[in-house]
Amino acid sequence: MDVRRWAAGAAVLLSAGMLANCSQIFGGESGEGVTTAMLVGADGDSANWISHGRTYSEQRFSPLDAVNRDNVGQLGLAWYADMDTARGQEATPIVIDGKLYLTTAWSKVKAFDATTGAKLWEYDPEVPGETGVKACCDVVNRGLAAYGDKLFFGTLDGRLIALDRNTGKPVWEKVTVDQSKSYTITGAPRVIDGKVIIGNGGAEFGVRGFVAAYSADTGEQLWKFFTVPEGGDAKDQPAYLQKAAETWNMDVLGANDAIGGGGTVWDSMAYDPELDLLYIGVGNGSPWNRAYRSPAKDGSGGEGDNLYLSSIVAIRPKTGEYVWHYQTTPGETWDFTATQHIMLADMEIEGKLRKVLMQAPKNGFFYVIDRETGKFISAKPYVSINWATGIDPATGRPIENPEARVDRTGKPALVMPGALGGHNWHPMAFSPTEKLVYIPAFEAGMMYAPESGWKPDKARGFNVGFNLGAGDLPPDGGFRKQVAGTLRGMLVAWDPVAQKPRWTVEHPGPWNGGLLATGGGLVFQGTAGSEFNAYDAANGKKLWSFAAQTGVVAPPVTYTVNGEQYVAVLAGWGGAYAITVDGDLLERKAPVRNISRLLVFKLGGKAQLPAPPASADLPLDPPPSTAPAQVIAVGQTKYARYCAVCHAPGAVGSTVLPDLRRAGALESAATWSAVVHDGALKDRGMASFAGSLSKDEIEAIRAYVIKRANEDKALEAGKKIARR
């Protein structure tokens, strides 16, 4: 028998829905559960969504076509479930045999009947609230992995937990990080041949990155792969780290354990079973500013490529052995991570079928590289950039703009993209029919201003080596309007062979949701404008829209039960952009708040969401600003380093976390100190900053927030007068 013809025929049967309910074939309560063979062959299981990207290739394409271009207008809400965490929701659901499993903010897990929405069980790992200050980008979680009869997920405080899939009861738990340091886990694990693989975050705070594998049966650690060398003498480290050490100033890296080097593996992974290669995306440096992380011996700034920061690294999943790497941003100094979605595909390039790996990392270039060897194939900008003019085709290295090299010039520079990138964690999707990659892209520059005399802080706050207050916007409505006008959000349909966009959909602003492509010729995406939309995969025409009542940043999935197709997405505004960007800019682009829900759709669905609750913003009514200018200046500096990461630049808060300009504690120095110094609200995520800030500095921050609140109150009053 022609095996290829048989496989093709089987794929046709599956995509047509003839084997849509595959519980007897693909396991379940009466079978052996999820197996290695099922994960390798997940592309043939159109009924379920059994791993993070549906398949090891992470294409996020489903062949299901019952919902298609012709009938998507009949899509309606089948059911919804309210979440109990009003923070950013970023998870990809897992669907197995008619049951849907997901994680939510604060690392909680829930299970539902995938057709009715009936809650089956829930599990709360009880992450300590004060862990929230260790998270750079909200207390999010991106999902689960399944193997055997277990589900696996990471917690914000660095644990890896295995749950019984049928009951939600914990089977084992493993602490994967040094919890005395600012490590977190927000990404979803992957399982390869019974090994649960998980990374972590924390590079903004001074940690050293790694990824590790654990036994799915017992939780025993099987191997650990560090992404940057340990400081000091590298001769006793593995060969790949000895090679990396040649690209660092090892004297500095070893002199202070608060400079951990960074390189955290906080999100993206993909696996090629044929090559037996696991691909990991490595993050930014710690601190960002290379002049402090790896200074030149002559004091001229930063030096060295600093491997394996901002790299895609291929390793053997059985042993953790290094195979190859490709560095997207050598000597990274702008938080240009390579942790963004990694996708695998086979495609014809210049008349030859190539096994490729594709990525649109933060630095603004879309990369196609050979996944067998790591050799560069091509790269072009998918958003506006100014830090480089292109990629040298001979070396695969960026052709840099010297003025953007702030770690060498020591001078501020407005750089495009900014630290949030041209594309962040939000997953892309690939249509093998259209041969397009769909990118949730955006444009938002950043002012990088090197901080003179910077010192790391092991206790709290961002350890990045830049003055994070340098880009604060003045209380000037006209200027703010101009800045808001420079922010863009786009859905870009990218041709990876031609390296150019085929079409683009403009969104109200940045930070729109992850993507799903389907055999019905559709692309699904949520938006920061509180919509969940379906587009024609061929031309980007909007074919259907649902008012979600909240920003949707998570990626959708699709599945079938008893032959009926469903589309599901976890809605809930939050994440890095929502909490770290000036709240006034957010309001000007797309006013949005968090109403966290799981939304599930089917053709002819008749369910209705309740009316959204009335908005109830606290008034902007601060006490008078009476502190001396020098005290306010100290407060501004300390606020930028320790507070802005959660409460937004310039104290202009958003709707996800408290807007400090409107906080009741602003009225009382004693109450303010009890919260910031004593940790009175630590169980709600506001830990004590006593180890980093003196009481005088904490009071100076209050004085700065009071000043800013009064400035913005006057600005609001001016708007009201102008409207009369």
Side-chain angles (χ1 to χ4, degrees):
M1 179 183 228
D2 188 327
V3 174
R4 289 174 296 178
R5 182 177 296 174
W6 177 89
V12 170
L13 290 173
L14 286 165
S15 65
M18 296 180 69
L19 294 177
N21 187 5
C22 302
S23 60
Q24 292 183 343
I25 295 175
F26 291 99
E29 293 180 9
S30 61
E32 59 181 326
V34 176
T35 65
T36 294
M38 290 166 57
L39 290 168
V40 171
D43 198 41
D45 175 10
S46 59
N48 297 300
W49 192 288
I50 64 171
S51 66
H52 190 61
R54 185 173 171 268
T55 63
Y56 277 141
S57 66
E58 303 276 332
Q59 291 182 5
R60 290 184 176 261
F61 172 82
S62 169
L64 292 176
D65 58 5
V67 180
N68 53 55
R69 292 183 178 99
D70 296 330
N71 63 17
V72 69
Q74 302 169 33
L75 203 62
L77 188 65
W79 58 270
Y80 69 90
D82 289 314
M83 299 295 109
D84 57 355
T85 54
R87 297 290 291 270
Q89 306 294 348
E90 299 186 354
T92 297
I94 297 290
V95 184
I96 305 171
D97 299 332
K99 297 178 182 179
L100 185 151
Y101 310 92
L102 59 82
T103 57
T104 75
W106 288 112
S107 315
K108 298 181 180 182
V109 186
K110 299 179 187 296
F112 300 91
D113 182 297
T115 61
T116 68
K119 187 183 293 183
L120 304 176
W121 54 258
E122 57 186 344
Y123 177 76
D124 183 357
E126 299 181 344
V127 172
E130 58 190 315
T131 307
V133 300
K134 294 183 177 182
C136 75
C137 310
D138 208 350
V139 294
V140 298
N141 190 285
R142 297 188 193 92
L144 301 144
Y147 192 75
D149 58 359
K150 302 183 187 69
L151 297 171
F152 308 91
F153 71 105
T155 67
L156 194 69
D157 58 345
R159 290 172 284 157
L160 180 63
I161 298 177
L163 301 179
D164 183 291
R165 179 157 56 90
N166 297 314
T167 67
K169 302 297 183 184
V171 178
W172 54 256
E173 178 179 304
K174 179 75 173 182
V175 175
T176 69
V177 301
D178 181 345
Q179 291 181 314
S180 70
K181 298 181 179 179
S182 291
Y183 281 103
T184 53
I185 296 177
T186 57
R190 310 297 199 276
V191 179
I192 300 173
D193 195 24
K195 299 172 182 63
V196 187
I197 300 166
I198 190 73
N200 45 64
E204 278 67 41
F205 301 90
V207 305
R208 181 188 181 205
F210 63 88
V211 62
Y214 300 84
S215 165
D217 291 331
T218 66
E220 175 191 3
Q221 182 178 300
L222 303 175
W223 53 257
K224 180 183 284 189
F225 180 93
F226 282 100
T227 59
V228 299
E230 188 175 17
D233 192 341
K235 65 181 181 180
D236 294 328
Q237 299 184 53
Y240 80 96
L241 289 179
Q242 293 182 35
K243 178 181 178 181
E246 297 172 3
T247 69
W248 287 78
N249 184 328
M250 294 296 288
D251 293 337
V252 172
L253 193 61
N256 192 327
D257 66 357
I259 299 179
T264 48
V265 184
W266 55 264
D267 193 38
S268 188
M269 290 182 264
Y271 175 58
D272 185 328
E274 181 182 347
L275 299 175
D276 193 30
L277 289 178
L278 168 67
Y279 308 97
I280 61 172
V282 183
N284 54 280
S286 180
W288 295 354
N289 190 338
R290 189 179 57 161
Y292 289 112
R293 183 181 72 239
S294 186
K297 298 292 195 299
D298 62 5
S300 60
E303 70 172 10
D305 286 351
N306 291 183
L307 292 172
Y308 295 92
L309 298 181
S310 300
S311 298
I312 298 164
V313 182
I315 59 181
R316 296 291 180 199
K318 183 176 181 179
T319 60
E321 173 193 359
Y322 165 89
V323 179
W324 60 254
H325 78 276
Y326 175 80
Q327 190 171 40
T328 58
T329 311
E332 107 74 23
T333 204
W334 306 278
D335 188 22
F336 284 170
T337 62
T339 51
Q340 284 56 58
H341 187 179
I342 294 171
M343 181 185 292
L344 312 181
D346 297 344
M347 58 182 55
E348 187 174 311
I349 300 175
E350 296 181 347
K352 182 180 179 182
L353 189 65
R354 302 289 297 269
K355 295 180 180 296
V356 305
L357 179 154
M358 298 178 286
Q359 188 186 51
K362 278 188 183 181
N363 72 13
F365 288 96
F366 186 93
Y367 291 85
V368 179
I369 65 176
D370 187 306
R371 71 173 183 267
E372 293 186 88
T373 64
K375 299 299 183 182
F376 173 81
I377 296 175
S378 65
K380 293 291 182 181
Y382 62 91
V383 291
S384 301
I385 67 170
N386 71 358
W387 74 277
T389 58
I391 304 294
D392 186 324
T395 65
R397 295 176 67 90
I399 305 166
E400 295 181 358
N401 172 6
E403 293 181 3
R405 259 295 167 200
V406 292
D407 59 315
R408 287 184 178 158
T409 67
K411 299 177 181 179
L414 179 62
V415 178
M416 291 282 290
L420 290 175
H423 167 224
N424 207 276
W425 67 270
H426 314 80
M428 307 182 296
F430 175 70
S431 169
T433 304
E434 301 295 335
K435 296 181 173 55
L436 293 174
V437 176
Y438 303 96
I439 311 171
F442 58 92
E443 295 185 350
M446 177 173 169
M447 178 65 71
Y448 293 84
E451 183 174 336
S452 177
W454 174 85
K455 299 292 183 184
D457 183 340
K458 292 176 63 175
R460 293 279 185 260
F462 262 28
N463 282 321
V464 297
F466 289 111
N467 175 6
L468 296 178
D472 288 355
L473 301 179
D476 180 319
F479 185 79
R480 286 175 171 272
K481 182 178 180 181
Q482 291 181 24
V483 172
T486 68
L487 303 177
R488 295 179 64 206
M490 309 90 76
L491 166 55
V492 180
W494 190 264
D495 183 330
V497 177
Q499 283 286 15
K500 62 182 181 181
R502 186 175 300 174
W503 52 259
T504 299
V505 172
E506 294 284 341
H507 291 315
W511 214 247
N512 301 287
L515 291 155
L516 165 69
T518 74
L522 299 172
V523 174
F524 288 92
Q525 184 187 30
T527 75
S530 299
E531 294 181 341
F532 182 52
N533 299 326
Y535 304 91
D536 190 312
N539 55 36
K541 180 182 178 182
K542 186 191 289 189
L543 302 177
W544 172 82
S545 184
F546 178 82
Q549 301 183 353
T550 185
V552 182
V553 295
V557 302
T558 188
Y559 59 91
T560 63
V561 181
N562 296 324
E564 188 166 35
Q565 184 178 353
Y566 296 81
V567 178
V569 68
L570 185 58
W573 180 243
Y577 182 78
I579 65 174
T580 64
V581 172
D582 185 299
D584 182 63
L585 296 184
L586 296 177
E587 286 293 306
R588 290 174 184 270
K589 298 303 291 186
V592 63
R593 53 187 167 152
N594 183 293
I595 303 175
S596 291
R597 289 191 179 111
L598 175 65
L599 305 172
V600 181
F601 303 88
K602 68 176 182 178
L603 294 175
K606 301 296 184 183
Q608 297 287 326
L609 293 179
S615 180
D617 288 336
L618 295 172
L620 192 57
D621 189 24
S625 178
T626 59
Q630 61 268 31
V631 172
I632 292 173
V634 170
Q636 179 178 8
T637 299
K638 298 301 180 181
Y639 178 93
R641 178 161 184 179
Y642 293 99
C643 311
V645 62
C646 288
H647 296 285
V652 186
S654 70
T655 59
V656 178
L657 289 174
D659 182 343
L660 297 184
R661 299 170 303 162
R662 306 173 193 273
L666 209 57
E667 296 281 350
S668 166
T671 303
W672 185 271
S673 181
V675 172
V676 182
H677 185 274
D678 301 339
L681 299 180
K682 68 177 183 179
D683 292 338
R684 293 168 56 183
M686 179 61 200
S688 166
F689 280 73
S692 299
L693 296 167
S694 69
K695 288 190 174 183
D696 286 343
E697 289 170 335
I698 289 170
E699 177 59 15
I701 292 173
R702 186 176 81 96
Y704 167 67
V705 176
I706 289 173
K707 173 180 178 290
R708 287 291 302 108
N710 277 279
E711 290 175 336
D712 291 339
K713 181 180 180 180
L715 186 63
E716 285 190 0
K719 290 180 184 177
K720 292 178 181 178
I721 293 173
R723 286 195 294 264
R724 291 177 184 171

